[in-house]
Structures are given as C-alpha cells and as structure tokens.
Amino acid sequence: MKIEKYSMGIGDRFGREGSAQLTAMLRAREMGISVVPVWNKSHREHQIVGTHPDQVRQEADTAVNDMNWNDSYYVDADHIGLDTVDEFIKASDFFTLDVADQIGESAGEDEIRAFVDQHSNLIGELTLPVLGTRLKITKDALERAAQTFLYAVKQAGRIYRHIQEKSRDSFVIEVSMDETASAQTPAELFLILAAIADEGIPVQTLAPRFSGRFNKGVDYVGDVQQFKTEFEQDLAVIRLAVVAFDLPDNLKLSVHSGSDKFAIYTPIREALQRFNAGLHLKTAGTTWLEELIGLAEAGGDGLKLAIEVYTQAYQRYDELAKPYAKVIDIHFDKLPSPGQVSEWDSETFATALRHNQQHANYQPDVRQLLHVAYKIAAEMGDQYLDALQTYKTVISRHVTENLLKRHIRAVFPAE
C-alpha cells in the first residue's frame, strides 16, 4: 500500500463528522488540491470516549460511501506501541509507531558497535539535495546517534513485525519521534533513517521533532525562521536517505499536532513546492472544537450544552489538563469563570473559541481548555450525540470550512 503525496489526519472524537470532513476534501479537489483523508484516533482517545477502532473504520467507510469518495482513504492506529497495537490491527491500514518514549534508552553494546561499524562509511560530508549545503557526519555523531536512537528504532521494528505477522493486508507505516524534548539534527535524522532501513521498516511517513511549541488547538509558538530551516533540512535529508538506504521513494514528513499552526503553514507550503515533496498533516481536536462552536452558534439548548461543557471543564481542570501537560500552555487565571460564561450569548461563546487571532474576543486559554475537555462530552453520552444530530447543519458547515479554508488551502499546494 503506497500512500499519496498529500494526506491529512482528520481525527473525529465522536465519529459524527466524517461526511463534513470529506466535503472539505472534495471542494479542495475542485480547486486542484488533492489530499487523501486518514481518520486517526489514539488508544488514549478511545479509552476516554469509550469507543473502539472498529468504529473509526465504520465511520470512514460510511462517509466514503455517502459522499461518493472514489480515491484512497485510511484509518490510522494513532500513537501505538506493542502494548496497544493488537486492538487496532483489524480496523487499521495506517500505523503510527510511537517510539518517542524509548529515545535515550540504550541498545546493547554489541548492537551499538555493529551499527557504528556498518555505517562507518557515512563518516564525512554529504551534499543535501536542493539546499546544496553540507551534511557532516563524524564518528562521535554516529556513536551518539546509536546510543540515543537505536533502541527506539529497534522497538519500531518489533512493532512493525508484530503488525506484519498479525495482518494479512498491506498497510502504511509512520514512525513518530515528535514527542521529545528537543529537535533532531539533520545528521541525527539521517542516521535514524539508516537504522530504520536496517530494521527493514518500509516507512512512508516520519514525524520528527521540530523546535518550538506545538500546543493543542492553537498557533505555533517559536521562531518561524528556525522552523523553516529545520523543515527544509529534513526534506533534504529524507531525499538523500531514500537513495542512500533504499527507502520507499514516497517517504514524506509528518507534522503532528498540526492543526491551527497558522504561522508555519506558508513556510511549509513553500518548502513542499521547492522540493516537490509530500506531507502528512496530522490534526485531531480541531473538529471537536468546531462542534462546540456550532452548538454555541445554534443557540438555545445547543448553547446551554456548550456552556455546561465549559463549566465542568473549568471545575475539573487538573484532571483534564494532566494527560496533555506537555502540549498545552493554559493560564488558569485568565480563564473566565463559569458564572461569566453562563452569561455569554452565542456570538460571545463562538468568537471566544473560534481560532481567529484578529478577533478581540478570541481567548486561546479557553480554546486549549476545551480542546482537552472532550471527556466531558463523552460522559454526557446520548445528550451530546443527540445534540450533534439536532444541530448537524450548522456544525457540518463549521467542520468543512475549518478544514478547507484554515488548513487544506493554507498548507497544501495545488497540483
């Protein structure tokens, strides 16, 4: 299975927005932008919402049939490890192998020595394609990379082979190393790809760590020029490694927590055009937030429900924020009290939550809190799901416009 050049992870917490999401991609096709959908949902999200991977497959298949989508589509076992992969194998054809937690763990001395010996021919300088700059590999860099990343890559190999043994079908493999403290250097990324090739992993997308903050649901925080430099270097390293290590020729970068990172979308799009490169942009909670915006705009019981979600989220802040502590920066003292929010009308709630940084009422702390508050809606059960159906028209419009206007058109070049 060979994934297309441009793909987008479209998480959907409650599995009700598949058709609205596909509508965005169908409209993008009319504009000459070809992006395939990848429905993604992690083990943690399934546990919180009380769903199963089979339900994601069902949502994807139903949406594709309802919308007459005639291109590829995928279901991602998002951020899985050996302890969680089995429940995803039947329903998934895209597997994100998350080995970030294993980075820094040391492989055996014999394995490290063997890797260094095998790749000692890389010591020296190589020219990065397109950029024309030099990539320097020293013996020390080779040894440090083996000590830092080899164990993690070998763990990815174990997960891949486990999937291969259990699954009869073809599938796409992504290797994720984004949830780490610091960005990988170009030399480190090159050597990581050497190790991935040694493991025989047919990786098609790779999620490295970039500098800056990729907080959930809000814009990129960091040096945009530095991100641009790192992104272009990584594209060049991938092109070099594909040839050097006989990796899949469609190998592309994956940007995780990619929704709403407006500050870096133009540099990404320009780099993709410069390198004629592919991209996987992974989003998730942005669709859930558009549901809340739609409920608020609908007024009446929809607005009341949105306010109730906020009220409970505020009261349960520590519980909800803890699992996402690395990817949110909420200033609790800037959050409006539930009493204040209870007085909001539809426009006030919607504009506080909608990601329009130019609007005077936009509140990023509110947006981040509600991004991680989907557990509240899950606990409401049928009350929340019935509201999604009641206000489907307004919600679907917001889901479609958000993906199309703020994301797809901003990131992916027309072909």
Side-chain angles (χ1 to χ4, degrees):
M1 182 174 288
K2 186 173 182 177
I3 197 166
E4 286 74 7
K5 185 176 182 179
Y6 300 138
S7 53
M8 188 171 182
I10 49 172
D12 185 7
R13 302 285 196 236
F14 298 97
R16 297 297 192 274
E17 311 305 335
S19 293
Q21 292 169 325
L22 270 188
T23 297
M25 296 188 173
L26 285 166
R27 292 183 183 173
R29 290 285 171 92
E30 297 171 358
M31 302 172 184
I33 305 171
S34 181
V35 183
V36 296
V38 182
W39 276 273
N40 53 278
K41 199 167 187 178
S42 68
H43 174 74
R44 175 172 61 187
E45 290 161 8
H46 280 298
Q47 285 189 311
I48 290 173
V49 178
T51 52
H52 188 273
D54 290 348
Q55 292 167 272
V56 182
R57 167 58 63 183
Q58 182 179 2
E59 177 195 6
D61 291 346
T62 299
V64 164
N65 289 331
D66 289 348
M67 301 304 296
N68 296 315
W69 179 261
N70 58 11
D71 206 339
S72 301
Y73 65 101
Y74 304 86
V75 174
D76 179 10
D78 191 15
H79 286 289
I80 48 90
L82 273 177
D83 57 337
T84 55
V85 64
D86 282 350
E87 65 187 278
F88 289 91
I89 287 176
K90 180 181 176 182
S92 304
D93 51 14
F94 186 118
F95 293 86
T96 299
L97 314 185
D98 187 349
V99 293
D101 287 345
Q102 283 74 47
I103 292 174
E105 292 190 38
S106 182
E109 291 184 10
D110 290 344
E111 291 177 321
I112 292 173
R113 188 179 305 110
F115 179 82
V116 171
D117 290 344
Q118 180 180 350
H119 294 290
S120 60
N121 63 308
L122 299 177
I123 295 173
E125 291 190 353
L126 300 167
T127 301
L128 288 176
V130 182
L131 297 179
T133 55
R134 305 294 283 175
L135 177 68
K136 187 175 182 179
I137 307 290
T138 65
K139 184 177 181 181
D140 285 346
L142 182 59
E143 291 174 345
R144 284 197 305 271
Q147 292 163 356
T148 305
F149 300 104
L150 186 58
Y151 180 85
V153 173
K154 287 188 172 294
Q155 181 71 0
R158 296 183 190 100
I159 304 169
Y160 164 67
R161 287 185 288 275
H162 182 82
I163 298 168
Q164 196 175 34
E165 291 171 3
K166 296 273 188 173
S167 176
R168 297 179 182 179
D169 301 321
S170 59
F171 48 86
V172 174
I173 288 292
E174 172 172 302
V175 176
S176 170
M177 294 186 168
D178 66 305
E179 294 187 5
T180 60
S182 58
Q184 294 89 22
T185 67
E188 288 173 338
L189 189 64
F190 187 67
L191 295 170
I192 286 168
L193 288 167
I196 287 174
D198 290 347
E199 284 293 306
I201 304 171
V203 61
Q204 294 189 51
T205 81
L206 178 70
R209 173 74 161 90
F210 298 104
S211 296
R213 293 281 295 181
F214 286 75
N215 292 329
K216 295 292 186 181
V218 293
D219 209 344
Y220 173 79
V221 179
D223 185 329
V224 173
Q225 184 58 48
Q226 182 179 0
F227 170 84
K228 179 181 179 180
T229 298
E230 291 176 358
F231 190 80
E232 290 186 341
Q233 287 175 335
D234 287 353
L235 289 177
V237 166
I238 282 178
R239 182 172 294 188
L240 184 65
V242 163
V243 176
F245 309 129
D246 196 26
L247 289 164
D249 61 7
N250 65 326
L251 174 60
K252 59 185 179 179
L253 285 178
S254 179
V255 178
H256 284 196
S257 294
S259 58
D260 300 278
K261 302 303 177 285
F262 303 144
I264 59 174
Y265 284 174
T266 296
I268 288 175
R269 187 180 66 252
E270 290 175 349
L272 297 180
Q273 291 174 308
R274 182 181 183 187
F275 282 81
N276 190 25
L279 176 74
H280 181 61
L281 182 74
K282 183 165 286 189
T283 74
T286 187
T287 290
W288 140 250
L289 292 178
E290 295 303 316
E291 289 178 344
L292 284 180
I293 291 169
L295 289 172
E297 280 205 353
D301 290 340
L303 175 60
K304 290 179 182 178
L305 189 61
I307 290 172
E308 179 59 25
V309 171
Y310 179 84
T311 298
Q312 292 193 39
Y314 184 94
Q315 295 167 345
R316 296 166 61 179
Y317 171 80
D318 290 338
E319 170 198 348
L320 298 172
K322 184 177 179 180
Y324 292 94
K326 293 181 180 179
V327 287
I328 55 175
D329 281 321
I330 300 174
H331 300 89
F332 187 81
D333 60 333
K334 294 183 179 180
L335 290 170
S337 70
Q340 291 173 297
V341 174
S342 69
E343 300 295 323
W344 286 359
D345 59 15
S346 292
E347 182 180 1
T348 304
F349 194 108
T351 54
L353 183 54
R354 184 180 294 114
H355 198 172
N356 179 359
Q357 296 174 72
Q358 283 68 51
H359 198 288
N361 196 43
Y362 170 59
Q363 299 193 39
D365 296 292
V366 169
R367 185 172 173 85
Q368 287 184 87
L369 174 60
L370 287 174
H371 194 290
V372 301
Y374 60 95
K375 182 178 182 179
I376 304 297
E379 292 172 353
M380 291 178 172
D382 288 343
Q383 179 188 10
Y384 183 76
L385 298 179
D386 289 347
L388 295 184
Q389 184 61 37
T390 299
Y391 303 107
K392 183 178 180 63
T393 300
V394 63
I395 290 171
S396 295
R397 173 169 55 83
H398 284 294
V399 170
T400 297
E401 290 182 355
N402 175 60
L403 285 181
L404 178 61
K405 295 181 180 179
R406 297 189 185 94
H407 293 84
I408 295 173
R409 287 174 57 186
V411 177
F412 297 101
E415 291 288 297

